Amino acid sequence: MEIDVKRIAHLARIDLDPQDENTLATELELILARINKLLEVDVEGVPPTFALGTQMMEPADDVPHESLCRELVMECAPSVHEGYFKVPRESQGV
Amino acid sequence: MEIWGLPARDILKYISSGEISAIEVLESFLGAISEIDTEINAFIEVLEPMARMDASRVDAQLREGNSPGPLAGLPVAIKDNICVKGAGCTCGSKILENWISPYDAATAKRLREQGAVIIGKTNMDEFAMGSSTETSAFGVTRNPWDLERVPGGSSGGSAAAVAAGMAPLALGTDTGGSIRQPASFTGICGLKPTYGLVSRFGATAYASSLDTVGSMAETVWDCALLLEAIAGHDPLDSTSAAGEPVAYTKGLQGDVAGLRVGVPKELLEGVSAPVKQLFHNTLGTMEHMGMTVEEMSIPSIAHAVEAYYVVAAAEASSNLSRFDGVRFGRRAAVDTLDEMYTRSRGEGLGKEVIKRIILGTFVLDAGNIDRYYRRAAQVRTLIKREFEKTFERFQVIVSPASPDVAFKIGEKIHDPLTMYLSDLITIPVNMAGLCALSMPMGFVDCEGSSLPCGLQIIGKPFDEQTVLRVGHYLEQEIGLGIRKEVCAMRRKLTPVRECELVD
């Protein structure tokens, strides 16, 4: 199986220049060849482990607690307008 | 008396006896940083004014007869993916270059509450993706034992800072070996705690089901002290385990005779001959101390690296989607929303990070998720089960902490597969959610340099106490010789300063 780097980069919303695309495709092919060894393992009937320690988790108390103050959060943003995050228009001319 | 370079335990004694103040301790370490770090580049940011305020507060508390806490006046370096309020938190990335954290991570908060002085933020592979600290956007960190070599990674800055004597304690994070491998490369101790023991709140997520925050220090006792300070349930981290606090430093004295030690043959594959020799010498020491050492097998370890790179990349692709130029971090100056996402990420993220996000997006893609991601999670179950079975027979499992000593800067950066495979020994511990300590076991002569090399002691979940105890006992046997080498290395780095030799 090959990786269509251009399509996957679009899904991941990452702008790549064509030269980087080629280098990345070569490196990823090598890595994927190694990862394909997983297909040789017999996992019939084995449940997946997606997370660890779930049996030790405690539900949080259902009470509100102090969160970060809005002004502080907004100070971290690249652009704000009247207390909201500001971003460019979805497309030019709209 | 020179304070910099002393283990934390000795500094604590001097501070508590009133022989020296917290501010004098801090100034000694700040002086060492200004002399040494121009060559090493362990720190991304030294927090001088903040640290001076914290140290002065500790001194004031001591003068008033109040206890500042068990870490009173101890400088701690913190990896730059752990938030400290009012300080930068770059994660080694351009995308967060100018971001200032508005809050403390749970671990940073606990350190401050217990009297520690946060001295600075340390260099790392970008978003903890790397094994050499070469993927940092802020330059490579150099190994204090040989400046042409890497300190390991991703917590290479924290490891180099402790090794060079610029901080007695440091926090690192470990997703696939990022505490243990740099500890091995730099001749210090590093403890990767059990998943869930230490809160991840405020530690930037790379792979959430694998990430852990742990302690790095020159000695096992110091590592235990730092773990004691940061461990414990945190309601702000939903994966934080419930449980009573453990006094790890007090438990170091228990007996180790009679312990059964397993040596999985899979963890010795690919280990260099001199490292293997040192490892076998160490096994001999363990037997001499009354432990029973037995070679055994954990077959599923053979697939751990492949499964790890699927799981870690998948989780990374999801976690790093937050860096899109909207709420924080770097934003590309463009006219449309879509361009803002793609250009902010394309320009702000480094090549290794992009590679792993693309790989993660690929394995989660609709046609691939069962073929790769689900299968990797099933292999993870096999690994976990085999370790559980192994721990029915053995109290600890040991191996070298890395297949070889520190490699040269640039040697592996263009060969990702070789770099990934070098994590083979450490990755299974994260996949199974175990705890493990890396501690120095000796030195290997390599092209004119004497380079340290670590032993990995793996324990079952939440049995850090046994792992630390075994490490502490071994340190009594081999620690003084290692300390002498450390002092000689530091004298070479800064000949004008003395390095105290303590027992």
Side-chain angles (χ1 to χ4, degrees):
Chain A
M1 182 176 281
E2 284 190 359
I3 301 184
D4 179 351
V5 172
K6 201 177 185 127
R7 189 180 76 84
I8 301 292
H10 172 69
L11 289 178
R13 296 293 185 273
I14 293 176
D15 186 41
L16 289 177
D17 71 46
Q19 203 185 337
D20 285 345
E21 240 170 62
N22 291 336
T23 316
L24 206 52
T26 313
E27 288 186 1
L28 286 169
E29 289 306 326
L30 276 173
I31 294 165
L32 198 60
R34 178 78 195 197
I35 284 173
N36 278 333
K37 281 175 177 277
L38 282 179
L39 307 178
E40 298 163 11
V41 186
D42 180 8
V43 290
E44 187 66 36
V46 178
T49 298
F50 294 120
L52 293 168
T54 45
Q55 73 281 6
M56 291 164 312
M57 286 181 199
E58 278 193 344
D61 294 333
D62 191 16
V63 288
H65 61 88
E66 204 182 327
S67 189
L68 285 175
C69 88
R70 193 183 180 97
E71 288 72 27
L72 262 181
V73 173
M74 287 297 162
E75 275 176 25
C76 299
S79 180
V80 291
H81 180 70
E82 293 180 358
Y84 293 93
F85 298 115
K86 187 181 170 189
V87 294
R89 288 170 183 276
E90 198 164 343
S91 65
Q92 274 183 312
V94 175
Chain B
M1 174 175 57
E2 279 288 7
I3 286 294
W4 79 279
L6 283 181
R9 191 179 194 176
D10 298 299
I11 299 170
L12 272 182
K13 278 183 209 155
Y14 291 130
I15 291 181
S16 61
S17 67
E19 278 180 74
I20 193 156
S21 67
I23 197 81
E24 284 172 306
V25 169
L26 174 68
E27 294 302 340
S28 178
F29 280 96
L30 288 175
I33 292 172
S34 70
E35 279 179 33
I36 300 171
D37 206 39
T38 45
E39 283 196 285
I40 305 283
N41 193 33
F43 286 89
I44 287 180
E45 186 181 11
V46 180
L47 301 171
E48 280 192 44
M50 189 188 285
R52 285 198 175 102
M53 275 174 61
D54 285 349
S56 302
R57 191 177 313 122
V58 168
D59 284 334
Q61 285 173 308
L62 287 167
R63 273 196 304 274
E64 289 157 13
N66 299 322
S67 168
L71 302 180
L74 284 178
V76 183
I78 295 190
K79 186 175 179 179
D80 207 24
N81 59 350
I82 299 170
C83 290
V84 172
K85 189 176 179 176
C89 188
T90 67
C91 296
S93 181
K94 270 193 299 188
I95 208 162
L96 285 174
E97 193 168 6
N98 298 311
W99 185 70
I100 304 294
S101 174
Y103 69 104
D104 270 333
T107 43
K109 188 163 177 270
R110 285 183 188 208
L111 291 179
R112 280 181 159 155
E113 286 169 354
Q114 295 180 56
V117 174
I118 298 173
I119 194 167
K121 304 295 296 293
T122 55
N123 202 10
M124 56 182 283
D125 281 297
E126 186 175 4
F127 286 107
M129 298 181 194
S131 312
S132 63
T133 319
E134 289 169 290
T135 71
S136 168
F138 304 100
V140 65
T141 295
R142 292 175 182 275
N143 191 321
W145 294 90
D146 178 346
L147 299 177
E148 300 303 311
R149 290 177 190 267
V150 302
S154 63
S155 310
S158 286
V162 172
M166 295 187 280
L169 301 171
L171 289 186
T173 60
D174 191 314
T175 304
S178 285
I179 285 177
R180 289 158 288 155
Q181 182 252 28
S184 176
F185 280 12
T186 58
I188 66 162
C189 300
L191 186 111
K192 176 243 174 275
T194 306
Y195 184 84
L197 180 68
V198 176
S199 171
R200 293 181 296 114
F201 176 74
T204 312
Y206 158 20
S208 307
S209 79
L210 300 157
D211 293 340
T212 50
V213 180
S215 52
M216 304 176 86
E218 198 181 316
T219 68
V220 176
W221 193 94
D222 288 2
C223 243
L225 176 75
L226 187 53
L227 180 68
E228 224 167 83
I230 59 174
H233 180 66
D234 175 18
L236 296 176
D237 174 359
S238 63
T239 60
S240 161
E244 292 303 308
V246 177
Y248 296 107
T249 47
K250 289 202 176 111
L252 292 176
Q253 297 306 328
D255 204 0
V256 295
L259 286 184
R260 291 178 64 85
V261 179
V263 184
K265 59 182 183 189
E266 291 80 7
L267 293 184
L268 295 179
E269 278 172 25
V271 173
S272 74
V275 171
K276 218 178 251 180
Q277 183 58 51
L278 259 183
F279 177 63
H280 285 296
N281 295 348
T282 310
L283 293 182
T285 308
M286 294 176 96
E287 282 179 328
H288 182 69
M289 290 160 70
M291 293 181 248
T292 309
V293 177
E294 191 182 316
E295 189 168 310
M296 32 70 79
S297 174
I298 306 179
S300 61
I301 284 179
H303 301 289
V305 172
E306 294 89 0
Y308 170 83
Y309 275 98
V310 170
V311 170
E315 294 185 18
S317 71
S318 170
N319 275 325
L320 270 67
S321 64
R322 71 187 52 148
F323 300 106
D324 57 6
V326 176
R327 290 163 299 160
F328 38 69
R330 185 187 176 113
R331 173 186 289 189
V334 288
D335 297 328
T336 68
L337 186 62
D338 245 359
E339 265 188 296
M340 186 201 77
Y341 293 141
T342 59
R343 292 271 300 278
S344 298
R345 288 163 67 74
E347 291 167 9
L349 299 172
K351 286 184 174 152
E352 182 62 31
V353 173
I354 288 176
K355 191 191 306 166
R356 295 196 197 195
I357 291 175
I358 300 280
L359 179 63
T361 309
F362 173 77
V363 299
L364 291 177
D365 197 14
N368 299 329
I369 191 162
D370 283 347
R371 183 180 167 92
Y372 292 113
Y373 181 59
R374 188 181 168 81
R375 181 171 277 267
Q378 288 172 300
V379 171
R380 189 173 187 184
T381 304
L382 296 177
I383 297 168
K384 203 165 155 278
R385 281 180 184 168
E386 285 185 12
F387 270 108
E388 281 163 6
K389 216 169 157 198
T390 302
F391 279 116
E392 288 171 9
R393 286 180 58 213
F394 299 97
Q395 277 82 49
V396 291
I397 296 166
V398 297
S399 73
S402 178
D404 211 340
V405 291
F407 47 88
K408 288 200 169 157
I409 293 168
E411 192 179 320
K412 290 188 182 175
I413 193 73
H414 300 298
D415 185 359
L417 205 54
T418 311
M419 187 82 97
Y420 293 179
L421 289 174
S422 70
D423 298 335
L424 171 74
I425 294 179
T426 48
I427 276 172
V429 170
N430 300 73
M431 292 297 274
L434 310 170
C435 59
L437 171 75
S438 171
M439 61 172 289
M441 62 176 172
F443 295 85
V444 166
D445 286 328
C446 187
E447 297 176 21
S449 297
S450 177
L451 299 171
C453 157
L455 170 76
Q456 176 173 236
I457 307 170
I458 304 170
K460 63 186 176 192
F462 300 102
D463 195 16
E464 279 78 2
Q465 189 68 85
T466 304
V467 162
L468 288 163
R469 188 188 302 148
V470 172
H472 182 66
Y473 264 79
L474 264 176
E475 203 174 52
Q476 312 302 305
E477 289 288 318
I478 56 179
L480 187 59
I482 287 165
R483 175 78 190 164
K484 280 178 184 163
E485 295 277 344
V486 169
C487 288
M489 173 269 286
R490 288 176 183 164
R491 276 190 212 105
K492 273 190 219 164
L493 283 175
T494 173
V496 290
R497 284 171 170 265
E498 280 303 311
C499 179
E500 295 265 325
L501 185 65
V502 291
D503 58 26

